[in-house]
Amino acid sequence: MDGWANPQDRPPLKYGSFPTSRRPVSPDDRTFPRRRACPVVPGRRIRRPMLDLLTRPVAAAVADRLNVAPTQVAGLFAPPAKGFAADLALPCFQLAKAAGKAPPALATDLAAFLPTVIPGLTATAVGPFCNLSFAAGNVAQALLPALAEPTAALRSSAGAGRTAAIDFSSPNIAKHLAFHHIRSTMLGNALAHCYQAAGWKTVRINFLGDWGTAFGRLISGWKREGLTLDQLRAADDQVTFLNALYVRASQAAKGDAALEDDARRWSKKLEDGDAEARHLWQIFKDASLAEFQRVYALLGVTFDSWKGEAYYEDKMGPILAELADKNLTSEDQGATIVDLPKLVGKQFKKPALIKRADGGTLYATRDLAACDDRMREFAADRALYVVDLGQSLHFTEWFAVAKLLNRPFAGNLRHVGFGVVLMWNDEPGEGLEPGWAKGRTRAGKVMLLREVLEEAIDRAAVIVREKNPDLDAAEQATIARQVGIGAVVFNDLKNGRTNDVKFKFEDALRFDGETGPYLQFAHARLCSIERKANVGDLAGDPALLTSDHEKNVLLAIAKLQNALERTVEADEPSLLAAALLNLAGEIAVWLTSGNSNLDARVLCLDAAQSAARLRLVRAARGALGEGLRLLGLAAPERM
RNA sequence: GUACCCGUAGCUCAGUCGGAAGAGCAUCCGCCUUCUAAGCGGACGGUCGCGUGUUCGAAUCACGCCGGGUACGCCA
């Protein structure tokens, strides 16, 4: 999608339109099954060590009784159906086969047997299911000691020793970060955090769109209008200035062959390393980066590598030579291609283009060169490309070429694709129905990311002032920023990434229900209790945590680890988001239960009881705070 | 035409190897003497797009349709 202020300003496609949003997974790759939004890698067992603390003894007992391997039982535990007051359900279908019994009979048998060997366990057979309830105190004794570190619930060693190179955000120079850039940026940011939490080393790469024929037009326009650096610097917004320049230049060049030629000449000069062209290009790039950094700072996003397309412009020789050496390229209509239908198979309908008829290189070539460079520099084991699904074909093609080149990493390249952002359009123009439309809102304007964030902050500020009149202005502003941005970011992360995002201001900026602020509010409530408790080391006795509310909070915490590992394996932050919503929900129920019952409060009269509950507060606050951080949201202590 | 994404409650979406249909919003009814009501409880609401097949069992798997979206040789 493009970033022109008005659609009519958008240049015709035939020459030098700016690239669409840069940069996708392979279709035939087993890690990305066709119809599943949240794929789980087959063959690789998803672990849940934290929850295993509870289920292991049960699995062992069942396995022992039925004479099967414990691992055959461990994976079966499932959430109970709604309406059954149980913690976990054990479906007996598969085990019934091994036991030579009908599922309901086995369920009945296990329901009678298990409580005799597992202390504190109650079990009820409901048809073919055996529903299990643990005693709250036992759950706390099993889990709380493992949660002494605040972040322990969201740590895993699944990726220890491995490195992931994550390519995300990737905006184009001389254009604004449009709202849709939030997708790649925050998905990539969340994945980088989650990979790290799962033990991976990560490299965050911003593959800037800093090259292309559009810069020839921009330079040509700059020279024609006699603009100066001072004029650029004096602009309120340098990117807007450059954008407007581009629009004027392309308007002027429309139907003016001389200007078109001039733009082409500047493109060529830029490619040839002409000093003046390079100087102007660098100025445009610096101005753009400064603006990008303002937005990244708001979002709290950082990068380790900023090598853009321009960096690789003169580094494609070796890959072209290697392709030729290995007889993988051929000529077709003057262009150099890799004949994928012939070399790989008929799942490919067309060849991959490697070199244009005029000798210029292409997107795929750059990605191949960049990938070699990254793998060498960072010794990465896996590479993620967080790019919209519209570019799937591009990635399947060059991934296939990497395989033909026998790259050892070829099987570990992942296109983390996502759906487009659609805006509600009330007035789409003559003959068109109102509806969801790509990129633009009612006035036909492209929504800029910064504008959306600022609007969200403004709306949050109104509520913050109302709810926290005693806080000083600076703290109110900080909270408004955290909550406003949290709402927008979480709105983008909470659903499966392959869905198209339907953006309405009112929905994205909602502060109640399943939202970022909902998570943040639960966190703030826990912090508030800790402040009031005003205690240091806590040595509460887990056995005193005997209510179902407390048990449910613990179980919700214990499920986070599994959610984290699934998030990493499926490259799907919405899995973590869902687990955090579940946790925040249990926290809210727990804390609210204290409203009408003083004895149920954390800060109650019974000091020992209170100390035990404070341990749970600390564990929950640590887990929720860390979860927010992993998703890229702030965790306010007050709101 | 080919490939990919999507289709589940009025709206927006979850649904973890195939095993018990879920949430938020909206609407309606309750709960502030509050460890923070940005919260909690309840009600209402569904032929899981359609069909066939596989299976003891299908929202889930296979095949075929229908509908919406996206992409398909010298842009990125």
Side-chain angles (χ1 to χ4, degrees), chain A residues 163-180:
Chain A
T163 299
I166 306 175
D167 176 318
F168 67 107
S169 200
S170 309
N172 293 310
I173 297 299
K175 290 173 59 175
H176 278 103
L177 284 165
F179 176 69
H180 69 262

Side-chain angles (χ1 to χ4, degrees), chain A residues 6 23 59 62 65 87 90 108 119 185 225 251 337 376 391 466 469 496 538 545 580 583 606 637:
Chain A
N6 297 294
R23 315 282 200 152
V62 172
R65 184 160 182 90
D87 302 323
L90 184 62
T108 306
T185 304
E225 297 185 13
Q251 292 283 13
I337 62 165
R376 194 164 40 235
Q391 296 184 47
E466 185 183 305
L538 296 170
L545 297 174
L580 289 170
L583 172 59
D606 182 332
E637 295 185 5

